Amino acid sequence: MKNKKALTLLFISNGISGFAQGISMLSIPWYFTQQNQSSLFIAFFGAVTLGSLFWGLYAGALVDGFNRKDVFLGTNFIEGLIILSVASLGFKEGVLPGALIMLVFTITFFGYHIHYPNLYAFAQEITDPKDYTKVTSYIEIVGQSTSIGAAALGALLLEGVDTVQTIPFLNLEIPIHIERWELHEIFLMDGLTYIISFIMILFITHKPSRDITHLEEGDLKEKLKSGYDYLVNNKLVSLFGICSYSIFIVTLVEIFSLRPLYISHHLQEGGDILGLSELLYASGSLVSGIIINTLLSRMPIPRSIVILTFLTALAFFVCSFTQNVIVFLGISMITGFTNAGSRIFRVSYLFNLIPNELTGRVNSMFNVINTVFRMIFIIAFIFPFFSKGSNVVYAYLILGLFTLIAGIVLIFLYKRILRLTERISEVGTLSH
């Protein structure tokens, strides 16, 4: 595999910053849930998602318009500086106002919209086509390994630990005491990891796997139009991309908008179950990164995505009809598996479809489309009805139906997508 050193540094720096990001993004929704402000947070999340519509388009142009290593350096520096500033104010005042907590969430959420398109575009740029699935699997493995650590530590930091563990056979008791961390302490750790990631990226040297010119001339409007024109001229790619994103859409809405509410109101459990569900979700994603290519590699990628889509729909239906904590935790692991698996297949498949010089913008177009769907769900779930008692299960039912419909559409498109796959194998990526 080419550029092994560059890919290794890229994976490690991504994992380091993702570790603390995971704890922050776990703690913020839980904080507002514990303050009985879940509806406020869902409304805020909806506003941030709306803002990401416009930012996502611009981010795609940045990914295609600048050196991708420089994009990593710039985003890590800016995000780290802002989050460290918020953390320092928290240490000074002893408490953080809700507006600054929301600022950290916004910066991190907006950061995702440029970080991941840039990460995948950079990986595509320095990787041979035969290694696309392998590299996307590695990205998933590294990312989810750090997410497991983040979820495990986050569960401890959100609630704290004060217990005594007995070692079997030795009859030895060991007291364990971990103080609950304040948000500004979590943000300090988060900000520092951005700086560490920035330093690691400085040492990345690479050579593109083939001749690539992604510094397209023209203003922002013209650059965005190139991505739009590609999707208009390749409608089957557009439909496949939209439907294959359905798992990502519903899991993102569930994690940030519904999961804290489901655990607190429906299951009537605490932050330890939230942290454990995140841990199992990340574990499912990690398992997916390790075995998904082997497990489903003998069948075409579109068929694998169809299977994962229906499995996700089933998982959401089960959540809507059960109040069992163990079942919910098992479902968390399943959705982690299906979301990561579909992402690995979708990204590697789109790598072959989309020219690298358009990757950032085309992916940003897909992000805008799936953001619109997320906005619709978030706005719907703001209504107080879903915050009362166990009514959150109806939200899970709605998301399950949406995923089911996406799977049905993929089945109808299946033969045409396979023919497109055969065409790609003969001529390479589709032109624009």
Side-chain angles (χ1 to χ4, degrees):
M1 187 185 297
K2 291 184 178 180
N3 297 300
K4 285 186 178 179
K5 183 179 179 181
L7 286 168
T8 300
L9 286 172
L10 183 64
F11 294 161
I12 295 174
S13 64
N14 180 57
I16 289 173
S17 61
F19 175 77
Q21 277 181 356
I23 298 177
S24 292
M25 298 301 270
L26 173 70
S27 61
I28 293 173
W30 184 249
Y31 169 83
F32 285 102
T33 299
Q34 293 302 97
Q35 299 295 317
N36 294 318
Q37 295 179 326
S38 56
S39 295
L40 173 64
F41 177 77
I42 293 175
F44 162 71
F45 182 46
V48 172
T49 303
L50 178 62
S52 70
L53 276 173
F54 308 100
W55 164 242
L57 288 172
Y58 185 62
L62 290 177
V63 169
D64 288 339
F66 291 89
N67 181 287
R68 283 150 183 171
K69 175 181 173 180
D70 292 341
V71 173
F72 276 129
L73 291 173
T75 53
N76 273 276
F77 180 79
I78 293 171
E79 291 177 57
L81 182 62
I82 293 174
I83 294 175
L84 284 174
S85 299
V86 172
S88 64
L89 182 62
F91 277 98
K92 179 181 178 182
E93 301 295 333
V95 66
L96 284 172
L100 288 182
I101 297 172
M102 290 179 175
L103 173 63
V104 172
F105 184 91
T106 304
I107 290 298
T108 307
F109 190 76
F110 273 42
Y112 289 158
H113 282 71
I114 190 170
H115 175 82
Y116 286 103
N118 195 57
L119 175 65
Y120 288 121
F122 191 39
Q124 181 193 21
E125 181 179 326
I126 64 178
T127 304
D128 287 330
K130 64 182 179 62
D131 294 320
Y132 284 163
T133 302
K134 184 186 297 183
V135 169
T136 52
S137 296
Y138 289 160
I139 291 174
E140 200 66 41
I141 290 169
V142 173
Q144 296 306 327
S145 296
T146 55
S147 294
I148 289 174
L153 183 58
L156 298 177
L157 299 182
L158 284 175
E159 299 288 336
V161 176
D162 191 3
T163 186
V164 176
Q165 291 292 329
T166 302
I167 299 179
F169 307 113
L170 297 179
N171 198 28
L172 179 63
E173 294 185 345
I174 300 177
I176 300 176
H177 179 73
I178 300 175
E179 291 285 348
R180 184 178 67 85
W181 279 32
E182 300 295 335
L183 280 179
H184 57 267
E185 295 174 312
I186 293 174
F187 293 163
L188 174 63
M189 179 173 60
D190 192 359
L192 289 174
T193 60
Y194 280 103
I195 304 305
I196 295 172
S197 180
F198 174 88
I199 294 171
M200 294 192 69
I201 292 170
L202 280 175
F203 290 95
I204 290 179
T205 57
H206 68 283
K207 182 179 180 180
S209 61
R210 57 198 177 280
D211 292 332
I212 294 173
T213 54
H214 58 263
L215 301 179
E216 183 178 320
E217 298 294 331
D219 58 21
L220 176 63
K221 182 178 179 181
E222 292 171 340
K223 291 178 180 179
L224 292 177
K225 189 175 183 299
S226 298
Y228 172 79
D229 289 343
Y230 174 86
L231 291 179
V232 169
N233 295 330
N234 296 279
K235 293 183 175 60
L236 189 58
V237 178
S238 302
L239 288 171
F240 170 79
I242 293 169
C243 292
S244 63
Y245 262 104
S246 62
I247 301 177
F248 174 75
I249 292 170
V250 297
T251 52
L252 200 63
V253 172
E254 190 264 340
I255 288 171
F256 291 121
S257 297
L258 302 180
R259 184 174 295 184
L261 196 61
Y262 186 92
I263 292 172
S264 178
H265 289 196
H266 181 59
L267 299 180
Q268 298 180 2
E269 297 289 343
D272 54 336
I273 297 300
L274 176 63
L276 186 56
S277 69
E278 293 284 348
L279 175 63
L280 290 172
Y281 175 88
S283 299
S285 299
L286 176 60
V287 170
S288 182
I290 295 172
I291 71 169
I292 196 74
N293 189 37
T294 302
L295 188 65
L296 298 176
S297 61
R298 295 183 180 180
M299 65 178 70
I301 285 180
R303 184 184 300 176
S304 300
I305 291 178
V306 168
I307 292 172
L308 294 171
T309 302
F310 281 111
L311 184 57
T312 304
L314 177 62
F316 275 84
F317 288 144
V318 170
C319 276
S320 65
F321 289 107
T322 184
Q323 199 172 5
N324 187 292
V325 175
I326 301 300
V327 171
F328 171 74
L329 293 174
I331 292 298
S332 296
M333 190 167 186
I334 290 172
T335 54
F337 180 89
T338 59
N339 187 41
S342 67
R343 180 163 54 241
I344 291 169
F345 286 132
R346 180 181 68 245
V347 170
S348 58
Y349 195 63
L350 292 178
F351 273 1
N352 286 297
L353 289 170
I354 305 169
N356 184 261
E357 63 270 18
L358 286 174
T359 294
R361 282 163 288 174
V362 172
N363 280 327
S364 72
M365 293 291 176
F366 281 133
N367 284 334
V368 166
I369 294 168
N370 78 63
T371 298
V372 170
F373 280 110
R374 294 202 312 270
M375 277 294 303
I376 293 171
F377 290 129
I378 292 168
I379 291 172
F381 299 153
I382 288 174
F383 286 98
F385 169 80
F386 292 101
S387 299
K388 293 180 180 178
S390 291
N391 287 349
V392 67
V393 298
Y394 295 108
Y396 277 78
L397 182 62
I398 292 169
L399 294 180
L401 288 170
F402 171 78
T403 315
L404 178 64
I405 292 170
I408 293 172
V409 173
L410 284 173
I411 288 178
F412 280 111
L413 297 175
Y414 183 73
K415 290 184 178 179
R416 293 172 59 192
I417 294 172
L418 283 184
R419 287 196 294 269
L420 181 64
T421 307
E422 294 170 357
R423 176 185 166 193
I424 292 167
S425 64
E426 295 174 356
V427 302
T429 56
L430 296 174
S431 64
H432 58 286

